[in-house]
Structure formats: C-alpha cells, structure tokens
PDB file of all heavy atoms in Angstrom:
ATOM      1  N   SER A   4      90.992  96.297 102.556  1.00 87.00           N
ATOM      2  CA  SER A   4      89.656  95.726 102.473  1.00 87.00           C
ATOM      3  C   SER A   4      88.686  96.527 103.250  1.00 87.00           C
ATOM      4  O   SER A   4      88.804  96.753 104.556  1.00 87.00           O
ATOM      5  CB  SER A   4      89.743  94.361 103.159  1.00 87.00           C
ATOM      6  OG  SER A   4      88.513  93.717 103.032  1.00 87.00           O
ATOM      7  N   LEU A   5      87.746  97.074 102.599  1.00 93.00           N
ATOM      8  CA  LEU A   5      86.764  97.990 103.234  1.00 93.00           C
ATOM      9  C   LEU A   5      85.716  97.169 104.063  1.00 93.00           C
ATOM     10  O   LEU A   5      85.390  96.021 103.844  1.00 93.00           O
ATOM     11  CB  LEU A   5      85.947  98.691 102.126  1.00 93.00           C
ATOM     12  CG  LEU A   5      86.713  99.713 101.327  1.00 93.00           C
ATOM     13  CD1 LEU A   5      85.804 100.266 100.178  1.00 93.00           C
ATOM     14  CD2 LEU A   5      87.315 100.803 102.107  1.00 93.00           C
ATOM     15  N   LYS A   6      85.303  97.817 105.096  1.00 93.00           N
ATOM     16  CA  LYS A   6      84.202  97.349 105.899  1.00 93.00           C
ATOM     17  C   LYS A   6      82.953  97.248 104.968  1.00 93.00           C
ATOM     18  O   LYS A   6      82.815  97.982 103.991  1.00 93.00           O
ATOM     19  CB  LYS A   6      83.853  98.211 107.061  1.00 93.00           C
ATOM     20  CG  LYS A   6      84.943  98.238 108.086  1.00 93.00           C
ATOM     21  CD  LYS A   6      84.567  99.239 109.292  1.00 93.00           C
ATOM     22  CE  LYS A   6      85.666  99.204 110.372  1.00 93.00           C
ATOM     23  NZ  LYS A   6      85.279 100.219 111.382  1.00 93.00           N
ATOM     24  N   GLU A   7      82.074  96.318 105.274  1.00 91.00           N
ATOM     25  CA  GLU A   7      80.891  96.136 104.488  1.00 91.00           C
ATOM     26  C   GLU A   7      79.822  97.287 104.737  1.00 91.00           C
ATOM     27  O   GLU A   7      79.797  97.903 105.895  1.00 91.00           O
ATOM     28  CB  GLU A   7      80.229  94.829 104.772  1.00 91.00           C
ATOM     29  CG  GLU A   7      81.065  93.628 104.338  1.00 91.00           C
ATOM     30  CD  GLU A   7      80.453  92.287 104.590  1.00 91.00           C
ATOM     31  OE1 GLU A   7      79.274  92.253 104.995  1.00 91.00           O
ATOM     32  OE2 GLU A   7      81.092  91.263 104.404  1.00 91.00           O
ATOM     33  N   HIS A   8      79.066  97.565 103.749  1.00 94.00           N
ATOM     34  CA  HIS A   8      77.858  98.438 103.820  1.00 94.00           C
ATOM     35  C   HIS A   8      78.225  99.853 104.248  1.00 94.00           C
ATOM     36  O   HIS A   8      77.458 100.572 104.886  1.00 94.00           O
ATOM     37  CB  HIS A   8      76.896  97.895 104.813  1.00 94.00           C
ATOM     38  CG  HIS A   8      76.490  96.436 104.706  1.00 94.00           C
ATOM     39  ND1 HIS A   8      76.122  95.989 103.421  1.00 94.00           N
ATOM     40  CD2 HIS A   8      76.482  95.420 105.501  1.00 94.00           C
ATOM     41  CE1 HIS A   8      75.874  94.618 103.523  1.00 94.00           C
ATOM     42  NE2 HIS A   8      76.078  94.300 104.785  1.00 94.00           N
ATOM     43  N   LEU A   9      79.444 100.378 103.753  1.00 96.00           N
ATOM     44  CA  LEU A   9      79.750 101.709 104.004  1.00 96.00           C
ATOM     45  C   LEU A   9      78.866 102.590 103.055  1.00 96.00           C
ATOM     46  O   LEU A   9      78.553 102.162 101.938  1.00 96.00           O
ATOM     47  CB  LEU A   9      81.195 101.977 103.597  1.00 96.00           C
ATOM     48  CG  LEU A   9      82.223 101.236 104.550  1.00 96.00           C
ATOM     49  CD1 LEU A   9      83.630 101.565 103.995  1.00 96.00           C
ATOM     50  CD2 LEU A   9      82.037 101.726 106.039  1.00 96.00           C
ATOM     51  N   ILE A  10      78.482 103.765 103.553  1.00 96.00           N
ATOM     52  CA  ILE A  10      77.543 104.734 102.797  1.00 96.00           C
ATOM     53  C   ILE A  10      78.212 105.935 102.438  1.00 96.00           C
ATOM     54  O   ILE A  10      78.935 106.600 103.252  1.00 96.00           O
ATOM     55  CB  ILE A  10      76.310 105.004 103.598  1.00 96.00           C
ATOM     56  CG1 ILE A  10      75.594 103.599 103.945  1.00 96.00           C
ATOM     57  CG2 ILE A  10      75.410 105.845 102.867  1.00 96.00           C
ATOM     58  CD1 ILE A  10      74.429 103.752 104.931  1.00 96.00           C
ATOM     59  N   ASP A  11      78.112 106.327 101.071  1.00 95.00           N
ATOM     60  CA  ASP A  11      78.684 107.542 100.623  1.00 95.00           C
ATOM     61  C   ASP A  11      78.199 108.756 101.433  1.00 95.00           C
ATOM     62  O   ASP A  11      77.015 108.858 101.694  1.00 95.00           O
ATOM     63  CB  ASP A  11      78.353 107.647  99.130  1.00 95.00           C
ATOM     64  CG  ASP A  11      79.049 108.887  98.433  1.00 95.00           C
ATOM     65  OD1 ASP A  11      79.971 109.393  99.037  1.00 95.00           O
ATOM     66  OD2 ASP A  11      78.629 109.248  97.331  1.00 95.00           O
ATOM     67  N   GLU A  12      79.074 109.597 101.764  1.00 94.00           N
ATOM     68  CA  GLU A  12      78.913 110.872 102.572  1.00 94.00           C
ATOM     69  C   GLU A  12      78.656 110.654 104.060  1.00 94.00           C
ATOM     70  O   GLU A  12      79.003 111.466 104.785  1.00 94.00           O
ATOM     71  CB  GLU A  12      77.712 111.658 101.938  1.00 94.00           C
ATOM     72  CG  GLU A  12      78.080 112.194 100.566  1.00 94.00           C
ATOM     73  CD  GLU A  12      76.972 113.240 100.109  1.00 94.00           C
ATOM     74  OE1 GLU A  12      76.043 113.510 100.787  1.00 94.00           O
ATOM     75  OE2 GLU A  12      77.238 113.679  98.898  1.00 94.00           O
ATOM     76  N   LEU A  13      78.012 109.511 104.417  1.00 96.00           N
ATOM     77  CA  LEU A  13      77.873 109.229 105.798  1.00 96.00           C
ATOM     78  C   LEU A  13      79.172 108.652 106.386  1.00 96.00           C
ATOM     79  O   LEU A  13      79.674 109.075 107.429  1.00 96.00           O
ATOM     80  CB  LEU A  13      76.718 108.202 105.991  1.00 96.00           C
ATOM     81  CG  LEU A  13      76.449 107.774 107.529  1.00 96.00           C
ATOM     82  CD1 LEU A  13      76.040 108.939 108.356  1.00 96.00           C
ATOM     83  CD2 LEU A  13      75.383 106.689 107.538  1.00 96.00           C
ATOM     84  N   ASP A  14      79.737 107.696 105.723  1.00 97.00           N
ATOM     85  CA  ASP A  14      81.019 107.077 106.185  1.00 97.00           C
ATOM     86  C   ASP A  14      82.238 107.560 105.492  1.00 97.00           C
ATOM     87  O   ASP A  14      83.310 107.546 106.040  1.00 97.00           O
ATOM     88  CB  ASP A  14      80.939 105.514 105.946  1.00 97.00           C
ATOM     89  CG  ASP A  14      79.759 104.899 106.715  1.00 97.00           C
ATOM     90  OD1 ASP A  14      79.748 105.048 108.068  1.00 97.00           O
ATOM     91  OD2 ASP A  14      78.889 104.259 106.142  1.00 97.00           O
ATOM     92  N   TYR A  15      82.069 107.927 104.249  1.00 97.00           N
ATOM     93  CA  TYR A  15      83.259 108.472 103.422  1.00 97.00           C
ATOM     94  C   TYR A  15      82.784 109.531 102.520  1.00 97.00           C
ATOM     95  O   TYR A  15      81.644 109.575 102.185  1.00 97.00           O
ATOM     96  CB  TYR A  15      83.908 107.259 102.723  1.00 97.00           C
ATOM     97  CG  TYR A  15      82.972 106.583 101.695  1.00 97.00           C
ATOM     98  CD1 TYR A  15      82.857 107.138 100.408  1.00 97.00           C
ATOM     99  CD2 TYR A  15      82.217 105.479 102.039  1.00 97.00           C
ATOM    100  CE1 TYR A  15      81.976 106.521  99.519  1.00 97.00           C
ATOM    101  CE2 TYR A  15      81.363 104.886 101.135  1.00 97.00           C
ATOM    102  CZ  TYR A  15      81.275 105.462  99.872  1.00 97.00           C
ATOM    103  OH  TYR A  15      80.434 104.849  98.901  1.00 97.00           O
ATOM    104  N   ILE A  16      83.805 110.288 102.036  1.00 97.00           N
ATOM    105  CA  ILE A  16      83.524 111.185 100.883  1.00 97.00           C
ATOM    106  C   ILE A  16      84.493 110.748  99.732  1.00 97.00           C
ATOM    107  O   ILE A  16      85.492 110.168 100.018  1.00 97.00           O
ATOM    108  CB  ILE A  16      83.669 112.671 101.238  1.00 97.00           C
ATOM    109  CG1 ILE A  16      85.050 112.972 101.706  1.00 97.00           C
ATOM    110  CG2 ILE A  16      82.666 113.055 102.306  1.00 97.00           C
ATOM    111  CD1 ILE A  16      85.941 113.585 100.607  1.00 97.00           C
ATOM    112  N   LEU A  17      84.152 111.106  98.571  1.00 98.00           N
ATOM    113  CA  LEU A  17      84.947 110.804  97.349  1.00 98.00           C
ATOM    114  C   LEU A  17      85.585 112.045  96.790  1.00 98.00           C
ATOM    115  O   LEU A  17      84.883 113.026  96.636  1.00 98.00           O
ATOM    116  CB  LEU A  17      84.036 110.108  96.359  1.00 98.00           C
ATOM    117  CG  LEU A  17      83.524 108.710  96.670  1.00 98.00           C
ATOM    118  CD1 LEU A  17      82.330 108.311  95.816  1.00 98.00           C
ATOM    119  CD2 LEU A  17      84.714 107.746  96.506  1.00 98.00           C
ATOM    120  N   LEU A  18      86.879 111.990  96.492  1.00 98.00           N
ATOM    121  CA  LEU A  18      87.614 113.068  95.945  1.00 98.00           C
ATOM    122  C   LEU A  18      88.244 112.598  94.591  1.00 98.00           C
ATOM    123  O   LEU A  18      88.831 111.520  94.556  1.00 98.00           O
ATOM    124  CB  LEU A  18      88.703 113.532  96.928  1.00 98.00           C
ATOM    125  CG  LEU A  18      88.282 114.543  97.992  1.00 98.00           C
ATOM    126  CD1 LEU A  18      89.505 114.766  98.881  1.00 98.00           C
ATOM    127  CD2 LEU A  18      87.808 115.833  97.363  1.00 98.00           C
ATOM    128  N   PRO A  19      88.255 113.377  93.613  1.00 98.00           N
ATOM    129  CA  PRO A  19      89.050 113.131  92.424  1.00 98.00           C
ATOM    130  C   PRO A  19      90.529 113.197  92.720  1.00 98.00           C
ATOM    131  O   PRO A  19      90.960 113.666  93.765  1.00 98.00           O
ATOM    132  CB  PRO A  19      88.582 114.221  91.471  1.00 98.00           C
ATOM    133  CG  PRO A  19      88.164 115.375  92.260  1.00 98.00           C
ATOM    134  CD  PRO A  19      87.638 114.749  93.508  1.00 98.00           C
ATOM    135  N   THR A  20      91.259 112.647  91.817  1.00 97.00           N
ATOM    136  CA  THR A  20      92.738 112.476  92.015  1.00 97.00           C
ATOM    137  C   THR A  20      93.399 113.777  92.453  1.00 97.00           C
ATOM    138  O   THR A  20      94.161 113.837  93.415  1.00 97.00           O
ATOM    139  CB  THR A  20      93.437 111.946  90.761  1.00 97.00           C
ATOM    140  OG1 THR A  20      92.878 110.655  90.424  1.00 97.00           O
ATOM    141  CG2 THR A  20      94.935 111.831  90.876  1.00 97.00           C
ATOM    142  N   GLU A  21      93.054 114.881  91.735  1.00 97.00           N
ATOM    143  CA  GLU A  21      93.690 116.185  92.088  1.00 97.00           C
ATOM    144  C   GLU A  21      93.311 116.638  93.472  1.00 97.00           C
ATOM    145  O   GLU A  21      94.233 117.189  94.210  1.00 97.00           O
ATOM    146  CB  GLU A  21      93.203 117.237  91.057  1.00 97.00           C
ATOM    147  CG  GLU A  21      93.941 118.563  91.218  1.00 97.00           C
ATOM    148  CD  GLU A  21      93.563 119.641  90.215  1.00 97.00           C
ATOM    149  OE1 GLU A  21      92.850 119.211  89.247  1.00 97.00           O
ATOM    150  OE2 GLU A  21      94.092 120.740  90.287  1.00 97.00           O
ATOM    151  N   GLY A  22      92.084 116.455  93.892  1.00 97.00           N
ATOM    152  CA  GLY A  22      91.682 116.821  95.265  1.00 97.00           C
ATOM    153  C   GLY A  22      92.421 115.941  96.307  1.00 97.00           C
ATOM    154  O   GLY A  22      92.908 116.444  97.337  1.00 97.00           O
ATOM    155  N   TRP A  23      92.561 114.643  96.041  1.00 98.00           N
ATOM    156  CA  TRP A  23      93.219 113.794  96.971  1.00 98.00           C
ATOM    157  C   TRP A  23      94.708 114.232  97.052  1.00 98.00           C
ATOM    158  O   TRP A  23      95.242 114.319  98.156  1.00 98.00           O
ATOM    159  CB  TRP A  23      93.113 112.345  96.502  1.00 98.00           C
ATOM    160  CG  TRP A  23      94.031 111.413  97.269  1.00 98.00           C
ATOM    161  CD1 TRP A  23      95.235 110.855  96.805  1.00 98.00           C
ATOM    162  CD2 TRP A  23      93.891 110.825  98.559  1.00 98.00           C
ATOM    163  NE1 TRP A  23      95.794 110.079  97.689  1.00 98.00           N
ATOM    164  CE2 TRP A  23      95.046 109.992  98.830  1.00 98.00           C
ATOM    165  CE3 TRP A  23      92.891 110.998  99.531  1.00 98.00           C
ATOM    166  CZ2 TRP A  23      95.141 109.421  99.988  1.00 98.00           C
ATOM    167  CZ3 TRP A  23      92.975 110.307 100.727  1.00 98.00           C
ATOM    168  CH2 TRP A  23      94.141 109.509 100.985  1.00 98.00           C
ATOM    169  N   ASN A  24      95.290 114.407  95.930  1.00 97.00           N
ATOM    170  CA  ASN A  24      96.760 114.755  95.923  1.00 97.00           C
ATOM    171  C   ASN A  24      97.017 116.085  96.715  1.00 97.00           C
ATOM    172  O   ASN A  24      98.005 116.157  97.465  1.00 97.00           O
ATOM    173  CB  ASN A  24      97.277 114.962  94.518  1.00 97.00           C
ATOM    174  CG  ASN A  24      97.431 113.611  93.779  1.00 97.00           C
ATOM    175  OD1 ASN A  24      97.474 112.571  94.395  1.00 97.00           O
ATOM    176  ND2 ASN A  24      97.448 113.670  92.494  1.00 97.00           N
ATOM    177  N   ARG A  25      96.062 116.971  96.597  1.00 96.00           N
ATOM    178  CA  ARG A  25      96.243 118.237  97.395  1.00 96.00           C
ATOM    179  C   ARG A  25      96.163 117.988  98.862  1.00 96.00           C
ATOM    180  O   ARG A  25      96.981 118.535  99.689  1.00 96.00           O
ATOM    181  CB  ARG A  25      95.256 119.264  96.887  1.00 96.00           C
ATOM    182  CG  ARG A  25      95.507 119.765  95.487  1.00 96.00           C
ATOM    183  CD  ARG A  25      94.754 120.976  95.044  1.00 96.00           C
ATOM    184  NE  ARG A  25      94.888 121.288  93.643  1.00 96.00           N
ATOM    185  CZ  ARG A  25      94.490 122.341  93.097  1.00 96.00           C
ATOM    186  NH1 ARG A  25      93.875 123.329  93.761  1.00 96.00           N
ATOM    187  NH2 ARG A  25      94.635 122.532  91.730  1.00 96.00           N
ATOM    188  N   LEU A  26      95.113 117.257  99.245  1.00 97.00           N
ATOM    189  CA  LEU A  26      94.997 116.980 100.740  1.00 97.00           C
ATOM    190  C   LEU A  26      96.189 116.276 101.278  1.00 97.00           C
ATOM    191  O   LEU A  26      96.687 116.573 102.355  1.00 97.00           O
ATOM    192  CB  LEU A  26      93.668 116.167 100.931  1.00 97.00           C
ATOM    193  CG  LEU A  26      92.312 116.852 100.961  1.00 97.00           C
ATOM    194  CD1 LEU A  26      91.281 115.803 101.395  1.00 97.00           C
ATOM    195  CD2 LEU A  26      92.406 118.010 101.959  1.00 97.00           C
ATOM    196  N   VAL A  27      96.741 115.341 100.535  1.00 97.00           N
ATOM    197  CA  VAL A  27      97.914 114.536 101.008  1.00 97.00           C
ATOM    198  C   VAL A  27      99.138 115.482 101.052  1.00 97.00           C
ATOM    199  O   VAL A  27      99.966 115.412 102.000  1.00 97.00           O
ATOM    200  CB  VAL A  27      98.174 113.375 100.022  1.00 97.00           C
ATOM    201  CG1 VAL A  27      99.528 112.764 100.391  1.00 97.00           C
ATOM    202  CG2 VAL A  27      97.089 112.305 100.129  1.00 97.00           C
ATOM    203  N   SER A  28      99.229 116.412 100.112  1.00 96.00           N
ATOM    204  CA  SER A  28     100.385 117.342 100.167  1.00 96.00           C
ATOM    205  C   SER A  28     100.246 118.285 101.313  1.00 96.00           C
ATOM    206  O   SER A  28     101.259 118.734 101.825  1.00 96.00           O
ATOM    207  CB  SER A  28     100.503 118.150  98.838  1.00 96.00           C
ATOM    208  OG  SER A  28      99.401 119.056  98.731  1.00 96.00           O
ATOM    209  N   TRP A  29      99.071 118.579 101.783  1.00 96.00           N
ATOM    210  CA  TRP A  29      98.920 119.531 102.828  1.00 96.00           C
ATOM    211  C   TRP A  29      98.942 118.797 104.198  1.00 96.00           C
ATOM    212  O   TRP A  29      99.428 119.389 105.245  1.00 96.00           O
ATOM    213  CB  TRP A  29      97.483 120.216 102.772  1.00 96.00           C
ATOM    214  CG  TRP A  29      97.295 121.035 101.556  1.00 96.00           C
ATOM    215  CD1 TRP A  29      98.334 121.782 100.874  1.00 96.00           C
ATOM    216  CD2 TRP A  29      96.045 121.335 100.930  1.00 96.00           C
ATOM    217  NE1 TRP A  29      97.751 122.404  99.820  1.00 96.00           N
ATOM    218  CE2 TRP A  29      96.377 122.157  99.848  1.00 96.00           C
ATOM    219  CE3 TRP A  29      94.739 120.997 101.116  1.00 96.00           C
ATOM    220  CZ2 TRP A  29      95.390 122.663  98.927  1.00 96.00           C
ATOM    221  CZ3 TRP A  29      93.821 121.469 100.241  1.00 96.00           C
ATOM    222  CH2 TRP A  29      94.094 122.275  99.161  1.00 96.00           C
ATOM    223  N   TYR A  30      98.498 117.593 104.312  1.00 97.00           N
ATOM    224  CA  TYR A  30      98.301 116.886 105.611  1.00 97.00           C
ATOM    225  C   TYR A  30      99.027 115.547 105.728  1.00 97.00           C
ATOM    226  O   TYR A  30      99.113 114.992 106.788  1.00 97.00           O
ATOM    227  CB  TYR A  30      96.786 116.670 105.937  1.00 97.00           C
ATOM    228  CG  TYR A  30      96.090 118.001 106.101  1.00 97.00           C
ATOM    229  CD1 TYR A  30      95.417 118.627 105.018  1.00 97.00           C
ATOM    230  CD2 TYR A  30      96.060 118.734 107.309  1.00 97.00           C
ATOM    231  CE1 TYR A  30      94.748 119.848 105.150  1.00 97.00           C
ATOM    232  CE2 TYR A  30      95.430 119.945 107.444  1.00 97.00           C
ATOM    233  CZ  TYR A  30      94.800 120.541 106.351  1.00 97.00           C
ATOM    234  OH  TYR A  30      94.189 121.759 106.520  1.00 97.00           O
ATOM    235  N   THR A  31      99.495 115.011 104.598  1.00 96.00           N
ATOM    236  CA  THR A  31     100.048 113.624 104.531  1.00 96.00           C
ATOM    237  C   THR A  31      99.046 112.608 104.891  1.00 96.00           C
ATOM    238  O   THR A  31      97.872 112.918 105.164  1.00 96.00           O
ATOM    239  CB  THR A  31     101.255 113.474 105.432  1.00 96.00           C
ATOM    240  OG1 THR A  31     100.844 113.346 106.811  1.00 96.00           O
ATOM    241  CG2 THR A  31     102.218 114.586 105.297  1.00 96.00           C
ATOM    242  N   LEU A  32      99.415 111.348 104.772  1.00 96.00           N
ATOM    243  CA  LEU A  32      98.511 110.201 104.966  1.00 96.00           C
ATOM    244  C   LEU A  32      99.132 109.442 106.223  1.00 96.00           C
ATOM    245  O   LEU A  32     100.337 109.333 106.331  1.00 96.00           O
ATOM    246  CB  LEU A  32      98.488 109.261 103.782  1.00 96.00           C
ATOM    247  CG  LEU A  32      97.613 107.958 103.867  1.00 96.00           C
ATOM    248  CD1 LEU A  32      96.218 108.308 104.088  1.00 96.00           C
ATOM    249  CD2 LEU A  32      97.745 107.136 102.547  1.00 96.00           C
ATOM    250  N   MET A  33      98.322 108.890 106.996  1.00 94.00           N
ATOM    251  CA  MET A  33      98.704 108.272 108.209  1.00 94.00           C
ATOM    252  C   MET A  33      99.666 107.101 107.894  1.00 94.00           C
ATOM    253  O   MET A  33      99.489 106.362 106.947  1.00 94.00           O
ATOM    254  CB  MET A  33      97.404 107.639 108.924  1.00 94.00           C
ATOM    255  CG  MET A  33      97.723 106.986 110.322  1.00 94.00           C
ATOM    256  SD  MET A  33      98.065 108.251 111.597  1.00 94.00           S
ATOM    257  CE  MET A  33      96.433 108.865 111.811  1.00 94.00           C
ATOM    258  N   ASP A  34     100.664 107.010 108.722  1.00 93.00           N
ATOM    259  CA  ASP A  34     101.733 105.904 108.452  1.00 93.00           C
ATOM    260  C   ASP A  34     101.086 104.603 108.418  1.00 93.00           C
ATOM    261  O   ASP A  34     100.181 104.252 109.274  1.00 93.00           O
ATOM    262  CB  ASP A  34     102.778 106.040 109.578  1.00 93.00           C
ATOM    263  CG  ASP A  34     103.758 107.231 109.513  1.00 93.00           C
ATOM    264  OD1 ASP A  34     103.768 107.837 108.450  1.00 93.00           O
ATOM    265  OD2 ASP A  34     104.444 107.495 110.481  1.00 93.00           O
ATOM    266  N   GLY A  35     101.573 103.831 107.515  1.00 90.00           N
ATOM    267  CA  GLY A  35     101.083 102.414 107.344  1.00 90.00           C
ATOM    268  C   GLY A  35      99.772 102.328 106.546  1.00 90.00           C
ATOM    269  O   GLY A  35      99.431 101.141 106.295  1.00 90.00           O
ATOM    270  N   GLN A  36      99.209 103.382 106.181  1.00 93.00           N
ATOM    271  CA  GLN A  36      98.027 103.314 105.310  1.00 93.00           C
ATOM    272  C   GLN A  36      98.323 103.537 103.850  1.00 93.00           C
ATOM    273  O   GLN A  36      99.314 104.224 103.498  1.00 93.00           O
ATOM    274  CB  GLN A  36      96.948 104.300 105.764  1.00 93.00           C
ATOM    275  CG  GLN A  36      96.399 104.049 107.188  1.00 93.00           C
ATOM    276  CD  GLN A  36      95.242 104.978 107.465  1.00 93.00           C
ATOM    277  OE1 GLN A  36      94.622 105.532 106.648  1.00 93.00           O
ATOM    278  NE2 GLN A  36      94.966 105.035 108.821  1.00 93.00           N
TER     279      GLN A  36
END
C-alpha cells in the first residue's frame, strides 16, 4: 500500500520491466519487500 500523494521523480522513479530486473540482479531487493 503506497503512501498518499507520492510524486513522480520527487518520491519515486519508474523503470520498465527490463530496467527493474537488471537493478535487482545487480543489487537485489530488501528482505521482506
């Protein structure tokens, strides 16, 4: 559940599937998330 009123680029950035998969393969995702 996201916090309300998050703003693109200020609070988060958006990555296409391939970009996300690469970042996860390089750095992994925090445990429990």
Side-chain angles (χ1 to χ4, degrees):
S4 184
L5 294 176
K6 292 178 178 176
E7 296 181 3
H8 309 312
L9 296 176
I10 300 173
D11 187 11
E12 295 188 2
L13 178 64
D14 298 302
Y15 62 85
I16 63 97
L17 291 162
L18 275 175
T20 298
E21 187 177 352
W23 169 260
N24 288 341
R25 292 192 188 191
L26 279 184
V27 171
S28 71
W29 297 332
Y30 296 94
T31 73
L32 179 62
M33 187 72 74
D34 287 345
Q36 293 188 20

